[in-house]
Amino acid sequence: QQSLIFAEIIHACIDRCHKEDISSFHFLYPQQASSDTLASLATEQRSSHQYHWFNRDKSTAPYRDFEHFLADLKSRKRKDIKRERRLIEEQNIQLIRLTGEKINADIWDTFYHFYQLTYAKRSGHGGYLPKAFFKSLGITMSEQLLLVLAKRDDRFIAGALNLFSSDTLYGRYWGCIESAESLHFEACYYQGIEFCIERQLEKFDAGAQGEHKIQRGFRPVPTWSNHWIKDPQFSQAIKRYIEQEAEQVQDNIEQAANYLPFKA
């Protein structure tokens, strides 16, 4: 049944690409089974990897609290994380976590300012999403939002927006108006880990890239995407690249696993 549905979707996408002179279409981060099905239906499958944190100790029981998680780490790595968290206190920074209706219109205005500054620094523009998009999230799915805010001297200086399902926290957007040592790690990772433990979520997907996540307990996991390219020669070139890249991706996953901070 799934393959029939996917076949109809791909047929419709190909038809539209030809009619409107669109060069390609792409499926990003499907589950492996779905990606395999898509790969059998005229799309090229590309493998990659991300870093996810899992809410289970060595016996596979959920963590009771953040200290329980730290107890699973090697001594030096545990001390490094405690030092990073202590630095936040020493810089007179307080972190708060907001969900649901607590994320009001004023808070969205504040967060959107952070969001725009991040893109201005990185790309020279104010971001791809309008403020109305974020406010619509607050209206339509407020109970699936976690906004981590950092405050210093009664002034918000940074924020990290997350979404969550019944089992997974997804970290997506971060921004700040003041830099502070370790603040990014605290707002984007440690607060999310604590939230997962409190809510008994199974996994924390903190987004793409970031080898620095490994030392903070995020494990390398494979991901997939599927691609259709209209130009035959370009499509063949991409196919060759994907095939050559696949072995390197698997090697990267295996190498990254060697640097995990957990006790043997």
Side-chain angles (χ1 to χ4, degrees):
Q1 183 68 25
Q2 184 186 67
S3 61
L4 291 175
I5 294 172
F6 282 2
E8 288 296 318
I9 292 172
I10 289 176
H11 176 76
C13 289
I14 292 175
D15 185 57
R16 182 166 183 178
C17 285
H18 285 300
K19 286 181 178 178
E20 300 188 22
D21 195 25
I22 298 172
S23 63
S24 61
F25 63 86
H26 312 266
F27 299 90
L28 303 182
Y29 303 117
Q31 296 295 320
Q32 183 178 11
S34 296
S35 181
D36 290 343
T37 300
L38 291 168
S40 71
L41 297 169
T43 68
E44 296 299 333
Q45 183 184 57
R46 184 186 185 190
S47 60
S48 186
H49 67 285
Q50 292 183 338
Y51 301 99
H52 296 173
W53 181 88
F54 294 91
N55 187 12
R56 58 173 182 263
D57 63 15
K58 288 188 288 186
S59 68
T60 72
Y63 290 115
R64 296 185 300 274
D65 51 33
F66 198 86
E67 285 297 321
H68 185 198
F69 158 61
L70 289 180
D72 259 359
L73 306 185
K74 298 173 183 176
S75 175
R76 184 169 66 84
K77 303 303 181 184
R78 184 166 61 248
K79 290 178 180 177
D80 287 344
I81 291 176
K82 286 185 174 181
R83 180 187 61 82
E84 288 177 343
R85 304 204 78 182
R86 189 169 60 250
L87 281 171
I88 298 301
E89 295 181 10
E90 293 173 355
Q91 295 172 96
N92 192 32
I93 298 172
Q94 296 82 43
L95 278 294
I96 61 173
R97 297 196 291 267
L98 301 178
T99 59
E101 295 180 355
K102 293 180 180 178
I103 310 175
N104 58 36
D106 290 340
I107 294 294
W108 280 121
D109 289 340
T110 298
F111 171 76
Y112 191 68
H113 183 51
F114 298 154
Y115 165 80
Q116 287 192 302
L117 285 176
T118 296
Y119 276 90
K121 293 175 184 176
R122 184 171 63 191
S123 308
H125 60 79
Y128 299 98
L129 299 171
K131 186 188 297 183
F133 168 80
F134 293 102
K135 290 191 173 182
S136 71
L137 289 182
I139 294 171
T140 60
M141 52 187 301
S142 64
E143 297 306 316
Q144 278 73 54
L145 299 177
L146 165 66
L147 181 57
V148 177
L149 291 172
K151 178 183 284 191
R152 178 158 56 190
D153 298 328
D154 294 323
R155 176 171 175 254
F156 290 122
I157 63 171
L161 180 64
N162 308 260
L163 294 89
F164 62 94
S165 66
S166 60
D167 59 11
T168 303
L169 178 67
Y170 301 91
R172 283 302 172 262
Y173 293 108
W174 146 267
C176 65
I177 58 173
E178 291 183 18
S179 60
E181 190 172 358
S182 299
L183 179 55
H184 180 266
F185 302 139
E186 179 66 37
C188 295
Y189 305 141
Y190 303 145
Q191 290 291 319
I193 289 173
E194 285 190 337
F195 184 81
C196 287
I197 295 171
E198 291 175 5
R199 294 291 184 105
Q200 297 186 323
L201 302 181
E202 297 174 10
K203 183 175 68 175
F204 182 11
D205 169 359
Q209 304 173 342
E211 286 75 11
H212 55 275
K213 296 171 185 171
I214 300 170
Q215 299 303 307
R216 293 164 178 86
F218 287 75
R219 300 175 184 273
V221 296
T223 61
W224 294 269
S225 59
N226 294 76
H227 310 270
W228 181 89
I229 312 297
K230 184 168 64 174
D231 183 275
Q233 290 183 316
F234 193 25
S235 180
Q236 283 300 311
I238 290 176
K239 180 180 180 179
R240 289 193 296 270
Y241 173 79
I242 288 174
E243 291 172 349
Q244 295 168 4
E245 179 190 43
E247 184 176 344
Q248 183 63 48
V249 168
Q250 184 58 39
D251 184 61
N252 289 344
I253 291 173
E254 293 173 1
Q255 290 296 322
N258 293 329
Y259 293 97
L260 285 166
F262 297 98
K263 297 174 182 175

